[in-house]
Amino acid sequence: MDDCIFCKLANGEIPTEMVYQDDRIACFKDASPQAPVHVLMVPKRHIASLDDLTPEDEELMGYMMLKIKDIASSLGLENGYRAVINCGEDGQQTVKHLHIHILGKRKLTWPPG
Ligand code: 5GP
Ligand code: ZN
């Protein structure tokens, strides 16, 4: 999608500190980290939010879920971490390209604000 910052980051149009990428997904550092480790995993194909998923995305989403632990492990999060997907206005989703936050290296509080 032309005007989407995460499409541009995921596809290399804008340089960023990439933690992992392959043909389907990209994972890069969050610009405003909320924990010592805070990265965002995104599909390279533009999907706006959880609400925009279709049955065709089932395999991709499964792939992303399974990649979380590999990325967490590569970032040294052996003591645990949190994976978060914000959706919509009440979920405080600010970037309209589906992304999974992976946060760790500090004791995270619950419930989130
Ligand atoms: P959301 O609130 O939509 O769940 O999360 C969006 C996240 O994207 C925020 O944590 C914010 O810091 C991050 N972010 C926004 N713009 C950029 C950017 O241009 N580059 C990077 N690396 N992160 C961004
Ligand atoms: Zn996008």
Side-chain angles (χ1 to χ4, degrees):
M1 198 199 182
D2 278 356
D3 226 23
C4 172
I5 183 78
F6 282 6
C7 278
K8 289 179 179 163
L9 292 167
N11 295 308
E13 216 175 301
I14 297 175
T16 187
E17 206 167 339
M18 205 61 89
V19 168
Y20 174 85
Q21 66 172 320
D22 59 30
D23 57 330
R24 284 187 273 184
I25 64 171
C27 183
F28 47 83
K29 292 192 177 178
D30 194 292
S32 177
Q34 301 302 309
V37 169
H38 186 176
V39 298
L40 303 168
M41 187 205 292
V42 307
K44 286 196 169 175
R45 180 162 57 81
H46 183 83
I47 300 170
S49 79
L50 283 178
D51 278 344
D52 297 281
L53 290 170
T54 70
E56 280 174 24
D57 301 315
E58 187 172 334
E59 198 201 333
L60 173 65
M61 291 310 290
Y63 182 74
M64 289 178 72
M65 284 296 130
L66 290 171
K67 271 284 175 219
I68 294 173
K69 65 183 169 74
D70 295 343
I71 289 171
S73 168
S74 76
L75 295 171
L77 301 179
E78 51 283 314
N79 208 38
Y81 54 89
R82 188 169 291 160
V84 176
I85 304 177
N86 295 324
C87 183
E89 197 181 331
D90 280 0
Q92 299 258 34
Q93 181 182 4
T94 58
V95 178
K96 307 293 189 261
H97 179 128
L98 180 65
H99 50 281
I100 304 174
H101 297 256
I102 302 170
L103 304 114
K105 286 282 178 199
R106 75 169 166 84
K107 198 78 154 180
L108 296 158
T109 56
W110 191 264

